[in-house]
Amino acid sequence: VGGEQISSIGRGLCVLLGISLEDTQRELEHMVRKILNLRLFEDESGKHWAKSVMDKQYEVLCVSQFTLQCILKGNKPDYHMAMPTEQAECFYNNFLEQLRKAYKPELIKDGKFGAYMQVHIQNDGPVTIELESPAATVDPKQLTKLEKQQQRKEKTRTKVPSESSRERNAPRNKDDPSASSGAEGDVSSEREP
């Protein structure tokens, strides 16, 4: 930050955190659990995807990155889905606090919220995992209503085969020179243009 190194870690995870307008305490808690318990590292026998950052006593570097909430409108990035700065900073600090409570506080590092940072990441593999918080659960009564509406729509749809599909499914006469000589779409060499 500003030409000065303010944070670094050895082996571990670099977490780029994009905070959405819709994120709540529930999503925060889910992400903390996932980040600390994801089995991304090998065990003592070399078996891949066996150990978590906590199992290995590795470090975690967190960087707030609102650009992960980007939606492209043509070629222009739009960040309206990112949580506003003041609210996001509070959320981010709460995220760090929860990580430190759930793990070893001295192993949780971070950048500087809202600052222009040069982040150097050396991927081991490379391995990059995208985590999304779970979608909001739908009320079972509402889900049933939606399912019933969908079923009604499906029942009211009528399937009338098109002319071309009727022709394709009609039995072909061997003596017809325009008949296909094989699989659907295979045109006989005897066929005239």
Side-chain angles (χ1 to χ4, degrees):
V1 177
E4 180 187 344
Q5 182 175 318
I6 62 165
S7 198
S8 70
I9 63 169
R11 296 261 325 187
L13 299 176
C14 179
V15 176
L16 305 176
L17 183 69
I19 305 168
S20 164
L21 277 171
E22 300 167 350
D23 286 335
T24 66
Q25 184 67 28
R26 182 171 169 248
E27 281 85 17
L28 184 147
E29 291 167 1
H30 171 81
M31 294 308 251
V32 165
R33 274 193 313 275
K34 275 293 190 190
I35 288 165
L36 295 176
N37 290 293
L38 273 174
R39 293 180 307 206
L40 300 173
F41 302 98
E42 58 186 41
D43 65 12
E44 296 72 26
S45 66
K47 180 181 174 192
H48 294 286
W49 317 111
K51 296 287 185 175
S52 71
V53 72
M54 288 198 311
D55 294 333
K56 299 292 272 184
Q57 300 294 297
Y58 287 164
E59 296 174 287
V60 179
L61 174 64
C62 298
V63 178
S64 175
Q65 189 162 359
F66 76 94
T67 60
L68 289 170
Q69 295 301 322
C70 173
I71 296 171
L72 289 178
K73 297 211 172 174
N75 291 326
K76 183 179 180 188
D78 180 311
Y79 301 107
H80 286 94
M81 289 306 296
M83 189 178 282
T85 306
E86 281 184 23
Q87 196 179 352
E89 185 171 12
C90 183
F91 192 95
Y92 178 70
N93 288 331
N94 190 12
F95 172 77
L96 290 172
E97 186 181 320
Q98 295 300 316
L99 273 174
R100 289 178 175 129
K101 279 183 184 176
Y103 190 34
K104 295 181 174 185
E106 67 276 10
L107 297 180
I108 306 297
K109 310 284 177 67
D110 70 304
K112 184 174 181 185
F113 185 89
Y116 181 83
M117 290 178 276
Q118 300 233 332
V119 182
H120 299 274
I121 304 170
Q122 182 177 336
N123 279 349
D124 186 4
V127 175
T128 302
I129 308 292
E130 182 178 355
L131 293 178
E132 291 280 339
S133 52
T137 55
V138 178
D139 179 359
K141 291 177 186 174
Q142 185 69 20
L143 185 63
T144 304
K145 187 188 282 186
L146 291 172
E147 288 174 342
K148 286 179 182 176
Q149 287 173 350
Q150 185 64 31
Q151 288 173 350
R152 271 189 242 122
K153 283 181 186 176
E154 288 173 7
K155 285 180 184 176
T156 59
R157 288 186 195 136
T158 57
K159 293 186 178 178
V160 179
S162 67
E163 190 65 35
S164 60
S165 65
R166 276 192 226 128
E167 287 173 3
R168 271 184 285 190
N169 294 331
R172 295 204 170 119
N173 184 342
K174 287 193 289 188
D175 301 327
D176 182 359
S178 67
S180 173
S181 64
E184 198 69 41
D186 182 23
V187 180
S188 170
S189 60
E190 298 171 4
R191 190 172 183 178
E192 292 184 48

